[in-house]
Amino acid sequence: WDSESWDHCGAVVEDDAENMEETGSTLGNDSSTCTVTNNATGLVQIFQRWLSDADECDWYGVLCSGGFVRSIELAENNLIGEIVPELGMLPFLQIIDLSSNCIFGTIPSSIGQLSYLTNMDLKDNGLSGYIPMELFNLTNLVKLDLSYNVNYDGNCTRFDGTEKEIPNSLGLEGMILDSNIGRLEYLQDIDLTDNYFSGSISPEIGKLKQLGRMVVDNNVFKSTVPDEITQLINLK
């Protein structure tokens, strides 16, 4: 990612997000720290900036347990760039939320090494290319959101209001609902809206007994819905 994109704490996406704001560095513009203030409660939280020399467990948006990174939540953080393959080197990662940024390029195959991952939210970016087959190794996934990965104008707005040109994207593609989908048996929520996914919806979809929400609008699926989908009694 662009180094400039790590200079902020970013938006805080919580229930009272409208009351939260970044209030800057405690030690000046060159500091490795930044603070976020809850205007409703007055609570001030101090975080280490990303890529600083501090322990990564103190970085903004990172949650650790037992000394291992368990969660990376950087939604609406003005990130610009690609997902690095090194993400797969966090074997105990359970949650990754990079939604509503300016992330482009493909999803790296190393994502399949995150065997503990339960929630992956990459919506509202500019990702493109084929879904890696390794994604189906994520057999503990509960939520998968890949929606709205279309970027027609090729521009991304930074915090300071300036724009950076990024590649255009017609969305992610591939046969994500083929027979491999049956391997994600714990999946409860999947959103694929506004991409370029194709192929058939496999009868294996019937194995997702816990699936409660499935949105596939604005793709190019061509098959009819298999009868097995009626076995999904939790689907709304």
Side-chain angles (χ1 to χ4, degrees), residues 4 7-8 78 80 156-164:
E4 65 196 279
D7 289 340
H8 301 265
N78 200 217
I80 304 172
C156 183
T157 304
R158 300 184 179 96
F159 272 106
D160 62 6
T162 62
E163 291 192 343
K164 179 179 175 64

Side-chain angles (χ1 to χ4, degrees), residues 6 25 39 76 100 114 128 152 175 183 190 200 217 222:
W6 302 93
S25 168
N39 292 328
E76 299 182 56
S100 301
L114 305 177
S128 60
Y152 293 119
M175 294 184 288
R183 297 166 59 186
I190 181 170
S200 61
D217 296 359
K222 296 181 179 179

Side-chain angles (χ1 to χ4, degrees), residues 85 88 106-114 132-135 137:
T106 60
I107 297 175
S109 60
S110 61
I111 202 84
Q113 300 172 28
L114 305 177
M133 290 299 297
E134 290 81 2
L135 180 133
N137 294 337

Side-chain angles (χ1 to χ4, degrees), residues 99-199:
S99 60
S100 301
N101 284 290
C102 293
I103 299 173
F104 55 88
T106 60
I107 297 175
S109 60
S110 61
I111 202 84
Q113 300 172 28
L114 305 177
S115 58
Y116 287 93
L117 201 65
T118 60
N119 291 263
M120 183 163 70
D121 192 342
L122 302 178
K123 70 173 176 287
D124 192 22
N125 280 290
L127 291 165
S128 60
Y130 284 87
I131 288 292
M133 290 299 297
E134 290 81 2
L135 180 133
F136 297 106
N137 294 337
L138 305 179
T139 54
N140 286 307
L141 268 185
V142 173
K143 177 182 178 180
L144 176 62
D145 195 338
L146 302 175
S147 60
Y148 301 107
N149 268 290
V150 175
N151 186 317
Y152 293 119
D153 58 16
N155 287 312
C156 183
T157 304
R158 300 184 179 96
F159 272 106
D160 62 6
T162 62
E163 291 192 343
K164 179 179 175 64
E165 185 175 350
I166 64 173
N168 292 344
S169 171
L170 295 179
L172 292 161
E173 54 188 305
M175 294 184 288
I176 193 170
L177 297 181
D178 69 1
S179 59
N180 286 295
I181 194 65
R183 297 166 59 186
L184 308 182
E185 59 180 309
Y186 295 113
L187 203 59
Q188 297 179 16
D189 188 324
I190 181 170
D191 194 336
L192 307 176
T193 305
D194 266 3
N195 280 286
Y196 206 69
F197 293 120
S198 60

